[in-house]
Amino acid sequence: EARYLTNVLDAPTVTEAIGAYAAQLSLGASVVEYLAIPRFDAADPRHREIAEAPDDARVLSLLAPDAP
């Protein structure tokens, strides 16, 4: 679960979104709610793949709405 969240938050697009709203958000755990990052689900193959993704490009491809 920690690797999943770390990989999502470290993805360049997500990092830029956090930076853009940093002045408006309280950057605690609630940042996940503002960004609508789904809770980790070990039964979801895409979530497991995000957690194990080797690079940001792969994470971004898995976060795309039309990703398998």
Side-chain angles (χ1 to χ4, degrees):
E1 183 174 3
R3 288 182 64 193
Y4 164 81
L5 185 58
T6 298
N7 281 351
V8 170
L9 292 175
D10 281 347
T13 303
V14 177
T15 301
E16 289 175 19
I18 292 171
Y21 292 100
Q24 298 172 21
L25 298 177
S26 170
L27 292 179
S30 63
V31 71
V32 175
E33 294 170 13
Y34 286 105
L35 295 173
I37 297 170
R39 291 185 66 91
F40 178 73
D41 178 0
D44 186 327
R46 194 162 85 170
H47 288 197
R48 290 193 313 268
E49 194 169 348
I50 288 170
E52 298 174 11
D55 55 47
D56 291 338
R58 183 64 184 139
V59 171
L60 288 175
S61 72
L62 291 164
L63 290 174
D66 59 348

